[in-house]
Every structure is written in structure tokens, then in C-alpha cells.
Amino acid sequence: MYHIIMYLIQFGIMIASLFNEKVRKMWRGEREAVKVLKAKVDPTAQYVWFHAASLGEFEQGRPLMEQLRKDHPEYKILLTFYSPSGYEVRKNYAGADIICYMPVDTVTNARRFLRAVRPVMAFFIKYEFWYNHLHILKHRGVPTYSVSSIFRPDQVFFKWYGREYGHVLKCFTHFYVQNEESRQLLAKIGITNSTVTGDTRFDRVLQIKDAAKQLPLVEAFVGKQSSDAQQKVFVAGSSWLPDEQIFMKYFKEHTDWKLIVAPHVIGEDHLKQIAALTDRKMVRYTQATQENVVDADILIVDCFGLLSSIYHYADIAYVGGGFGVGIHNVLEAAVWNIPVIFGPNNKRFQEAQELIAAGGGFEITDDASFRQLMDCMDSDSSQLHAASKAAGNYVASGAGATRRVLDEAFNASACD
């Protein structure tokens, strides 16, 4: 059944590529993957393969690739993506020797792909469980690892109807899982080759913090006012309209705060929707100057690549998506020792739940709960300080997964 589904998916991608540019790039990239490998693979080199579905998984795998490059320069790195949202953004990433798409997981594609590269080791990030590629890797005796993986009882592997597909998990040499619950779930179906190492995203956000950019326009925006009274700064990252309708309403009244909004979608229509929510003075980042940004109350970040550095200027952060499909990256904000607020759709995100438990994360459900929380933080500096410290300590406590994974994987490989 799985094989039939894969051929149907391949056919569906082909048809969809006729009508959608994003899918067209994916279809073209998947078809050309083996050609790319044949052209670029050095037959005298040894390749370690990292596979990430998309951009989020790439960020989890990035610390591993960069540490591997430092520790074992004798290996070359192959990086593959399944989604164009990952490949198109990172196709020029300097940390890998070859970057290409991974073809749809049919038997034929998997054989051709692995024959072209012949990796000596493979790392699949988080949720990637491709049946045919994994079975061929196992058949060839290639050490294969699942990294930063997380399992839940409602996943197909733990249902009676998913037992056959669940055999794919036995192809992995070892699982480096995020939590104890994942280890126990695997053990219940007879898979005991797992270790709780945590999430490599903690290492990644610490790397990002160390490499943060200085942003003169933002520094001018958050500077002192003519009254010489320092205003507090609220940064909203990856926000959607339902998020913005809540916090913009609050800051329309509370003019003692400055507001930086980096929306998830920066199309003109959405930027106009944000502008319509307030009558306070607003400036877009791409139109800001050292002169006009000083007098603005709200800075709209209408470009990409700055958010992780902008969080540095916040007293409180808000991470969007919690009133939609799910929250975005809370660690990227918490690493700066600031409390992080987000909407109710956060239950599937372990880091959000743990941040709440640690005292550095806060869930809001509507206007009233946001107002109550902000009023409390604004009026009680000791609570704001405690929440800020708790957020930073939580991120620091999660560091080290990259080193644990690589040390164990390479030590085990050396003993084989």
C-alpha cells in the first residue's frame, strides 16, 4: 500500500506542477536530484547525508552539520530537502558540499539516489521516516540516525493499523529523541535503541544569539524620547492578523510602550491591515531613516532575516501563530532573556509547554487575558524580571544536544 501511495504522490506532484510555481520547482528539483549528484559527487570522498523536510528541520540539523565540519573535516556533507520552502531558502548554504532535493520515496528513486551518493552515515531530522530510502540504507549497513525526533501516542506507529508501516523505525541505528515520553513510546513497540538527548534547536538559537546583528535603525527607534524617559519595547514576531488584532488594540491605549511588529506575511494587503488597527505613528523598516524612526511609535519590519536579532531589543516578546495552525519559534525570543507570550494553539509544542512550566512563557486566549498579563508585567517590575530570567535559564538548560548526538554516533560508528 505504501508503495502505491508514493507513486500516486509522485503523479499528483507532476499534475500540480502544471498549475503551481512552488510545486513546479519541487517537481523539477526531485527529478534532477540524481543528475545533480552524478555531476557533483566526488567519488574519492566520504559523504555524511543530512535530510531535512523543510526550513525548520534544517535549523535543527544545522548545528550538527557545522559541528561535524569542525570535528571531522575528512567527511563531506550532503544536504537534502523535501520542501521548496527549505531548499529555495538554503540552496546556497555554505555548510554543505552538495545541496539538492530528495526524490519521492519510491523504490526506483531510492535505489538511484543512494547508488549515486553512497553515504557512509545518514541523519534524518525530527519527523522524516521515508520507508524505501531507510530500508536500502539498512540493507547496505549505513549507520542511520533520527535526530531531535519526538513521538506522541496519536502517531501512526502506535496504532494497530500502523504496525506494518511502523517497521520503518527498525531501520534506524539509533534514535536521539527530545524527551522521555518519546523513548518510552518507542520501547512499547520493541524499539530500545534510543537516547534522550534533547533538541538541537537550543544549540541553534544560542548560535544565532552569538551571531546577532547590530541594527542601527532599531537602536534609534528604541532610544530615549525627548522627555528622557525610557519606554519599554514589545516585539511581536511571526504574527498573523488574529494576533495583531489583540496586541495592537492594547498598545493603541498604552502609549508608554514602543512596538515592533515582524509579521509572518509581509504582503502589501497584510501591512495595510496592520496599519488600520492603530492611529499611532508607524514606520516601515524599509522606509525608515535615522530621523523619522526616532519619532515613530510602531516599527513594522517589512523584510526578512532580522527578527532573531530584533528580539534583543525587547522587554517582552510575542510569538504569533497560536490562533492558527500553531505557534512559531519561541526559543528564538526566549534566548534573549525575555518573557514570551503566545496564543492557545501551543499544546503540541514541547518547548512552549516547558517554557510555561519554567515561568518564562505565557499563554493568552483573548483580549482580556492579554490585557491582564501585560498590565501585571507593566506594573510589577519584579515579575517581569523573574519571567525574563526564567526564559533565559530555560534555553541555557537545554543546550548540548548537538555534542551529545555527534559524540555518541561517532563513538558507536568507530566501535562497529
Side-chain angles (χ1 to χ4, degrees):
M1 179 61 74
Y2 178 84
H3 305 296
I4 295 173
I5 292 172
M6 285 298 105
Y7 280 106
L8 289 174
I9 288 175
Q10 185 170 253
F11 181 73
I13 293 172
M14 180 186 69
I15 297 300
S17 70
L18 300 174
F19 309 99
N20 185 287
E21 177 61 26
K22 182 178 178 180
V23 178
R24 189 176 304 117
K25 290 179 179 179
M26 179 179 176
W27 173 241
R28 186 184 305 118
E30 289 177 351
R31 284 186 301 159
E32 294 177 353
V34 174
K35 185 188 298 184
V36 169
L37 292 180
K38 287 181 176 178
K40 294 187 176 182
V41 165
D42 178 354
T44 67
Q46 291 184 305
Y47 285 87
V48 177
W49 175 24
F50 287 86
H51 177 65
S54 191
L55 194 57
E57 289 78 12
F58 164 79
E59 290 296 329
Q60 287 177 289
R62 183 169 178 166
L64 291 164
M65 288 183 276
E66 294 178 357
Q67 193 63 51
L68 173 65
R69 183 77 86 188
K70 292 178 183 177
D71 294 349
H72 299 279
E74 68 272 22
Y75 293 106
K76 290 196 172 185
I77 294 174
L78 165 67
L79 169 63
T80 60
F81 290 97
Y82 186 74
S83 166
S85 61
Y87 175 81
E88 293 300 328
V89 175
R90 295 301 182 191
K91 60 186 176 183
N92 296 316
Y93 170 59
D97 297 283
I98 303 174
I99 303 174
C100 65
Y101 280 91
M102 177 179 174
V104 175
D105 188 39
T106 65
V107 174
T108 301
N109 285 344
R111 284 175 177 165
R112 292 175 64 233
F113 184 87
L114 291 169
R115 191 180 299 126
V117 67
R118 300 187 183 278
V120 297
M121 190 178 294
F123 292 87
F124 284 65
I125 311 300
K126 199 172 183 179
Y127 290 134
E128 293 298 273
F129 307 108
W130 296 107
Y131 190 94
N132 291 311
H133 284 81
L134 287 167
H135 273 83
I136 295 173
L137 286 168
K138 182 181 180 182
H139 177 73
R140 294 184 176 182
V142 178
T144 303
Y145 304 100
S146 179
V147 178
S148 291
S149 42
I150 189 165
F151 294 92
R152 300 181 180 85
D154 60 353
Q155 286 175 302
V156 65
F157 313 111
F158 312 110
K159 305 293 186 180
W160 63 267
Y161 52 80
R163 289 174 185 169
E164 181 177 350
Y165 177 64
H167 291 161
V168 71
L169 300 180
K170 296 180 180 179
C171 295
F172 286 97
T173 306
H174 206 85
F175 290 87
Y176 297 107
V177 297
Q178 291 190 30
N179 56 27
E180 178 63 21
E181 180 187 16
S182 296
R183 191 194 67 78
Q184 291 181 6
L185 282 169
L186 290 173
K188 285 181 180 179
I189 58 173
I191 296 174
T192 57
N193 53 330
S194 64
T195 304
V196 180
T197 53
D199 189 349
T200 53
R201 280 183 302 173
F202 287 82
D203 298 321
R204 178 60 187 146
V205 295
L206 287 164
Q207 285 180 340
I208 292 172
K209 180 183 179 182
D210 290 340
K213 306 170 185 174
Q214 278 194 309
L215 302 172
L217 285 175
V218 179
E219 290 173 1
F221 173 76
V222 303
K224 291 186 177 182
Q225 303 302 291
S226 58
S227 64
D228 207 37
Q230 182 72 50
Q231 288 183 299
K232 293 191 180 83
V233 178
F234 183 93
V235 173
S238 303
S239 60
W240 297 78
L241 186 59
D243 305 301
E244 293 147 4
Q245 288 171 330
I246 289 176
F247 62 71
M248 292 292 281
K249 180 179 180 181
Y250 180 86
F251 291 111
K252 189 174 182 179
E253 302 171 6
H254 293 76
T255 57
D256 54 329
W257 283 77
K258 292 204 124 184
L259 177 59
I260 302 176
V261 183
H264 186 74
V265 176
I266 60 172
E268 188 63 28
D269 288 344
H270 187 204
L271 296 178
K272 288 179 179 178
Q273 287 177 320
I274 296 173
L277 296 173
T278 185
D279 54 7
R280 295 183 69 187
K281 189 170 182 179
M282 180 183 298
V283 64
R284 297 186 187 184
Y285 189 89
T286 58
Q287 299 171 358
T289 66
Q290 288 287 333
E291 290 73 30
N292 68 15
V293 78
V294 172
D295 296 325
D297 300 310
I298 301 171
L299 178 62
I300 303 296
V301 183
D302 56 342
C303 53
F304 294 113
L306 301 180
L307 179 58
S308 58
S309 297
I310 286 175
Y311 281 127
H312 169 53
Y313 301 98
D315 293 288
I316 297 176
Y318 183 99
V319 173
F323 289 92
V325 296
I327 57 171
H328 295 283
N329 190 346
V330 299
L331 298 179
E332 197 173 47
V335 72
W336 288 106
N337 304 294
I338 50 175
V340 185
I341 304 171
F342 37 81
N345 191 356
N346 61 71
K347 305 301 184 293
R348 294 182 295 107
F349 300 84
Q350 175 180 284
E351 65 278 11
Q353 296 297 297
E354 291 179 346
L355 190 58
I356 291 172
F362 301 88
E363 176 186 302
I364 58 105
T365 56
D366 52 25
D367 291 352
S369 57
F370 181 78
R371 178 180 296 274
Q372 181 180 15
L373 175 61
M374 284 298 302
D375 284 348
C376 187
M377 292 272 194
D378 194 16
S379 62
D380 187 347
S381 60
S382 63
Q383 180 172 340
L384 177 58
H385 176 74
S388 300
K389 185 177 180 180
N393 287 345
Y394 168 68
V395 178
S397 71
T402 299
R403 175 52 62 193
R404 290 189 288 270
V405 169
L406 288 180
D407 284 353
E408 186 170 323
F410 275 86
N411 286 340
S413 179
C415 293
D416 289 342

